[in-house]
Amino acid sequence: VKSEGPKLVPFFKATCVYFVLWLPTSSPSWFSALIKCLPIFCLWVFLLAHGINFLVSHQSASRILAGLIFSAVGDAFLIWQEQGYFIHGLLMFAITHILYSSAFGMKPLDLKAGLLMGLVCSSCYAFLYSYLSGPFTYLVAVYIALIGFMGWRAVAGMQLCNDLWTWTKLSACIGAMLFMVSDLTIALNKFCFPVPYSRFIIMATYYAAQMLIALSAVESRDEEDFRKRS
């Protein structure tokens, strides 16, 4: 908390600015896009504050930074989703989930967690399927598969049963779950039925998810510091 907390102060301030201004979605503008993306920009700064050498030497951290960059672009597209840019935003976040999955890695494999995540994602798509039409029928399927895979890799890395987990792995796991909640709320609200307080739920879980995933990138730095102290 002492080492990472101060670096996150700009993120918390930017998030407060977003919720205080609460710009209407009915009048998209570059200003509203900036306010929406500002917390994600602050997470770029959070990772960059650990040093360029750290990002270059640790691929997981650099991939999370790249994911945050694509997320900001996706956020901007979604500001104009009613003008036909929803699919563009969907594509940007699909790339984000691929980058996050790559950052979390494939070890340990944990097939049980993968099976459970597969069942959850299949159930979600089965529920959404009757509400989907046109290209969204397969686009949503691909997107759910990608975010489900990302969630699997985040959960698999935690290893609670083996007592091998770290706070950063727990951070990645909770962040991935919150990201899934945020995107599921978007899907329900857009394709199925109006979700009460949908915008607050979507953005609160989304910002929390991105912060926690960004925090998970500092794990390799913690290991480095531990070796130096040893």
Side-chain angles (χ1 to χ4, degrees):
V1 172
K2 287 181 180 179
S3 62
E4 304 302 332
K7 300 186 187 79
L8 284 170
V9 169
F11 165 79
F12 288 119
K13 288 183 176 179
T15 303
C16 289
V17 167
Y18 173 82
F19 284 109
V20 167
L21 292 180
W22 203 252
L23 298 170
T25 54
S26 57
S27 56
S29 66
W30 285 108
F31 179 71
S32 59
L34 174 63
I35 296 301
K36 184 182 181 185
C37 296
L38 193 57
I40 306 303
F41 295 158
C42 291
L43 292 177
W44 298 2
V45 175
F46 167 75
L47 289 179
L48 290 170
H50 290 83
I52 298 298
N53 290 337
F54 168 72
L55 292 172
V56 171
S57 58
H58 297 93
Q59 289 187 350
S60 60
S62 59
R63 288 168 183 168
I64 287 175
L65 176 60
L68 288 168
I69 292 171
F70 277 99
S71 293
V73 178
D75 281 332
F77 276 130
L78 291 181
I79 288 287
W80 285 276
Q81 60 178 293
E82 300 302 327
Q83 285 73 33
Y85 288 95
F86 181 80
I87 291 179
H88 298 73
L90 198 70
L91 176 60
M92 293 299 103
F93 280 107
I95 296 171
T96 294
H97 297 317
I98 293 171
L99 288 165
Y100 286 169
S101 300
S102 178
F104 298 149
M106 291 301 297
K107 294 181 180 179
L109 193 60
D110 197 348
L111 292 176
K112 290 182 180 178
L115 179 60
L116 178 61
M117 194 62 65
L119 289 173
V120 170
C121 291
S122 298
S123 300
C124 290
Y125 182 70
F127 178 82
L128 292 169
Y129 181 77
S130 60
Y131 295 95
L132 302 173
S133 61
F136 286 115
T137 303
Y138 59 85
L139 288 175
V140 171
V142 172
Y143 187 85
I144 289 177
L146 289 174
I147 195 172
F149 186 82
M150 185 272 291
W152 169 34
R153 298 322 309 147
V155 171
M158 196 166 56
Q159 298 188 78
L160 283 175
C161 296
N162 298 330
D163 200 27
L164 296 175
W165 66 279
T166 62
W167 71 268
T168 48
K169 289 178 179 177
L170 181 62
S171 177
C173 179
I174 297 174
M177 296 301 102
L178 288 175
F179 216 135
M180 294 178 73
V181 170
S182 179
D183 282 357
L184 178 59
T185 307
I186 291 175
L188 291 174
N189 193 62
K190 182 174 180 64
F191 299 113
C192 304
F193 47 79
V195 177
Y197 307 107
S198 60
R199 189 176 170 200
F200 177 80
I201 295 170
I202 291 165
M203 297 311 298
T205 53
Y206 170 69
Y207 285 142
Q210 293 284 38
M211 180 195 70
L212 291 168
I213 290 172
L215 271 171
S216 73
V218 305
E219 177 176 21
S220 49
R221 186 180 181 89
D222 290 342
E223 292 171 352
E224 257 184 14
D225 293 343
F226 177 78
R227 285 197 297 269
K228 287 178 181 177
R229 289 195 298 268
S230 301

